[in-house]
Each structure stands twice: as C-alpha cells, then as structure tokens.
Amino acid sequence: VMAKLDLARRHRRPMDGHAPGVSGAQLHAYVAAGIASDHECTRCKEALEKLELGMHIMVREGTCARNLDALFPVIDGKTWPRMMWCTDDRHPHDILSDGHVDAIVRKAVTKGLDPVTAIRMGTINPADYFGIRDAGAIAPGRKADLIVFSNLTDIRAQAVYHRGQLVAENGHLLPDVATVPPVAVPPAMNIDPGHLDFSIRRQGKRMRVIRAIADQVVTGCEIMDVADHQGLALADVTRDIVKLAVVDRYTGEARTGLGFVTGLGLKRGAVASSVAHDSHNIIVAGATDADMIAAVARVAEMGGGLVAVSDGRTIADLPLPVAGLMSDQPLETVRDQMDRLIAASRDLGATLSDPFMTLGFLALPVIPDLKLTDRGLVDVTRFEVVPLFV
C-alpha cells in the first residue's frame, strides 16, 4: 500500500481514501500518509474531524449508500469549498428515473442549499480537487461541456453540449452523434464451476456471520449458533442465515472463501455477481450449495454478470461481458434486466431494495466490520483474516 501511495505522490496524483469511522491518532496517520479525500462519512462529527485535518469530503448518494441527509448539516459557508458530490455506485434504474449527480444537486437544493453552491459542489470543486484544469466551469480555456436549464430550484438538463457541440436535447441523444464501436476484450471468467465445493465442515458450535445493513456499505459482525447436519454447517433461512462464497475468477485456481450472511432475507435459491468490490471475484449467496454452484456457472457462462437462480434454473440474469463488470447494451436495456433481477430476488425472499448492490459490497475488505474475500473472512477493524468458527 505504501508503494502505491509513493507512486501516486511521485506522479502528483490525488490519493483518495476509504476511511469509515477512522478517527483520532489513526486518522492523523492516515492523512499524514497523503490521503486527501474520503467518501465514506456517515456522521457529521466524522466529516467535520476530517475537514479539520484538511481532507476533502465527498458526500455520497448512490443506490446502496445514501449519506446526504446525515451530512447535510456539515455543509456551510466555510466547508463547502472542500466538499463535493459523488454517487459511488448508482444503478441504471436510478440514473434513468432520478438522474446521476444532477439528482444530488436537486435534493440538496430542496433541502435548502444555495443552488449555485450545489452546482459548484458538482462541477468546479471536483475539477479543482482532481487537478482537471480544462473542465468544471464555463470560462476561456475550458472544454465547452455544459448543460442548459431554466429552473434553479429544479435543475434539469434541457440541452447538453459536449466540446461546444449540441449532443442531446429534451432527454434524447441527437441522432447524428457518433457512437464508439465495441472493442474486443479478453475472457474474464477463468473458472470451472464443475470443480467447486461450497460445503463447510462444522468446527464449532458458534460462528461469525456478516450482517448486511440496508442502504449501507458497512456491515455488522454477529456471533450466531451453527445450523448443522451430519457435521456440515448449513444455511438456516428460518433465522435469515444464508451461505456466502467468494470465488477467484482470475487465476484458474478457483480459490474460495466461505461464510454466512444475515440480512439479505433469501428464503430459497441463490443470487450471484461478478461485480464484487474491489477485486471483483464472483460472489454468491444462497440457501443451498447446488443453487449457489448453478448461479456461479451461469455467471461464468455469460462471461460475467448478475444472476438469480432457483432449483438449479436461472430465473433472471444480466450479462456483463466486458471484464465481467460492464454491459455492451443500451442503458434502458440494462435497466430492464436489472429490474427483472431485483423482482426475481424478491420472489426468492430478498428484502433489500437492491440486494445485488448490497451483495457486491460484502466482498470489500476496507469497510468495517466483517467482509468475505477469496482468502476468507476479514475483520476490517483488525485488518486480518479471521476464522469462521468461534
């Protein structure tokens, strides 16, 4: 990590951080290492402490994590120059129905923020922070990337210009705007699902269980009794406990981390994704090993993507053939596929508004408390791999 920071420092690149809940001497050391921003604040006190130490605060309002309401009191005449908006993962249905950064601007204005300040926090502030000298404002020497709107209290783009050329009007891309042709990408699923084994031999009566939290990327750590049969630890949907696995999809070794999660609400079947921050291995949660393996097999077959499975049968999917992370289809198509996936997951019992967004963050070992990687469970606070059984 220090080598990465040194490389960025030598090339004069901004260094962004993940520092949820980091405070006091640990935060001082974090800032001293050169980390200049944080987008993980969930409380006013946390944001103010980081601002006092010179950090830039990105106020996040995405699909899974929404922090604007909690952090809004921090934004004032002294703090806003070092604050900016970010979405940090926003799904297509939210982008199409509500918007992207423009949706955050509108919400902030509705809450009482000065419209010009709200716009600055989405334009010139991030441009200045990232050292982008030719964007972020309408001025000589800047790219003519701009929108035209008519209502300061309900900002909606009526016309969009890119490098001075009109490219969209009244919500529609102009027909003569050139599109980028697809490019070939190497296969991103180096895995044989037929060799997977998700069985867990019981090694104790109690175990660590990840608690998924609605609309948050942070997780809890619960100590719960093991449900077992013939010496194997099993999911227990009556207590909202399903098995979780993270499978390496790069090396061909299919190294697998196994655990359990509560809070997803699944009653049957399995859901899987090749979008699993930040390493983006395949993550799968399910009530049975068979459905979990079937879900991983479908993800591999698609070249990456999201899937919901029941009784070994795919009931909804979304292919992401570009590195297992991106679609090559129009945004509206992806939105419709995502809506079908969420509906299918609800049919399986999922209770979260977007279980796939939450699932993708369960493998992110820089956000407390407990996460799962292909190397096993990670206690993020201690920053070490910990055993499943207590």
Side-chain angles (χ1 to χ4, degrees):
V1 171
M2 297 307 293
K4 290 180 181 179
L5 296 179
D6 183 60
L7 183 66
R9 189 179 297 108
R10 283 189 279 116
H11 288 274
R12 298 185 178 181
R13 301 300 191 204
M15 292 180 275
D16 301 315
H18 292 73
V22 179
S23 180
Q26 286 187 327
L27 182 60
H28 289 207
Y30 197 73
V31 174
I35 308 296
S37 75
D38 183 63
H39 61 275
E40 300 287 353
C41 293
T42 59
R43 297 175 295 113
C44 288
K45 182 179 179 181
E46 179 183 4
L48 285 169
E49 182 182 8
K50 291 169 181 174
L51 284 166
E52 287 169 355
L53 295 179
M55 296 186 81
H56 295 254
I57 299 300
M58 300 174 181
V59 180
R60 174 175 53 196
E61 192 76 4
T63 291
C64 180
R66 302 174 184 268
N67 307 129
L68 175 57
D69 288 339
L71 299 181
F72 188 76
V74 175
I75 306 170
D76 61 25
K78 296 179 180 178
T79 61
W80 75 260
R82 299 186 76 82
M83 301 182 74
M84 63 197 90
W85 312 122
C86 81
T87 56
D88 190 31
D89 294 274
R90 198 169 177 91
H91 269 175
H93 55 272
D94 285 336
I95 296 172
L96 285 168
S97 62
D98 301 327
H100 202 256
V101 172
D102 58 310
I104 312 176
V105 172
R106 285 192 295 273
K107 182 175 179 179
V109 172
T110 300
K111 293 178 70 66
L113 188 63
D114 169 61
V116 175
T117 298
I119 293 170
R120 285 171 168 174
M121 288 175 64
T123 54
I124 191 67
N125 283 15
D128 284 348
Y129 168 70
F130 285 108
I132 302 171
R133 303 304 177 201
D134 60 351
I138 302 172
R142 309 259 178 169
K143 295 175 184 175
D145 293 345
L146 50 95
I147 66 169
V148 178
F149 58 94
S150 57
N151 187 338
L152 265 178
T153 60
D154 186 25
I155 299 168
R156 297 180 186 275
Q158 294 165 291
V160 180
Y161 287 81
H162 174 59
R163 294 183 178 271
Q165 301 298 313
L166 181 67
V167 294
E169 202 166 19
N170 298 320
H172 297 285
L173 192 70
L174 296 186
D176 57 343
V177 173
T179 56
V180 179
V183 296
V185 293
M189 297 290 133
N190 188 14
I191 181 174
D192 180 2
H195 290 140
L196 294 177
D197 179 6
F198 292 156
S199 62
I200 301 175
R201 188 153 298 281
R202 182 175 64 82
Q203 299 176 27
K205 294 183 178 181
R206 310 200 80 200
M207 62 183 179
R208 293 177 172 87
V209 178
I210 299 173
R211 173 167 290 283
I213 301 173
D215 299 328
Q216 295 296 334
V217 296
V218 296
T219 55
C221 175
E222 306 284 345
I223 306 298
M224 306 181 78
D225 292 334
V226 177
D228 73 285
H229 178 68
Q230 296 181 345
L232 297 178
L234 305 176
D236 185 354
V237 296
T238 64
R239 291 187 291 148
D240 188 19
I241 302 173
V242 295
K243 191 176 285 185
L244 189 68
V246 174
V247 184
D248 156 43
R249 66 174 170 100
Y250 301 101
T251 67
E253 298 175 0
R255 180 171 54 198
T256 301
L258 296 169
F260 292 88
V261 60
T262 184
L264 293 182
L266 286 176
K267 300 296 184 185
R268 58 189 181 90
V271 292
S273 171
S274 57
V275 179
H277 311 286
D278 270 337
S279 299
H280 296 294
N281 286 306
I282 298 176
I283 185 166
V284 56
T288 68
D289 291 4
D291 277 344
M292 291 172 68
I293 291 173
V296 173
R298 177 56 183 154
V299 169
E301 181 185 14
M302 294 188 296
L306 318 179
V307 65
V309 166
S310 179
D311 297 325
R313 181 177 60 87
T314 298
I315 56 177
D317 57 28
L318 193 172
L320 298 175
V322 183
L325 299 174
M326 291 179 284
S327 173
D328 55 2
Q329 299 300 304
L331 188 60
E332 291 81 2
T333 300
V334 179
R335 186 262 323 268
D336 294 343
Q337 292 172 323
M338 194 74 234
D339 287 345
R340 285 193 289 270
L341 265 173
I342 292 175
S345 68
R346 296 235 173 88
D347 187 52
L348 299 178
T351 53
L352 300 174
S353 58
D354 192 331
F356 287 92
M357 184 67 81
T358 299
L359 183 69
F361 282 106
L362 297 182
L364 180 56
V366 294
I367 305 294
D369 283 327
L370 189 65
K371 295 293 193 289
L372 182 68
T373 74
D374 60 317
R375 295 177 181 271
L377 284 172
V378 176
D379 182 323
V380 180
T381 304
R382 291 159 56 184
F383 216 66
E384 61 185 41
V385 176
V386 295
L388 171 61
F389 296 97
V390 179

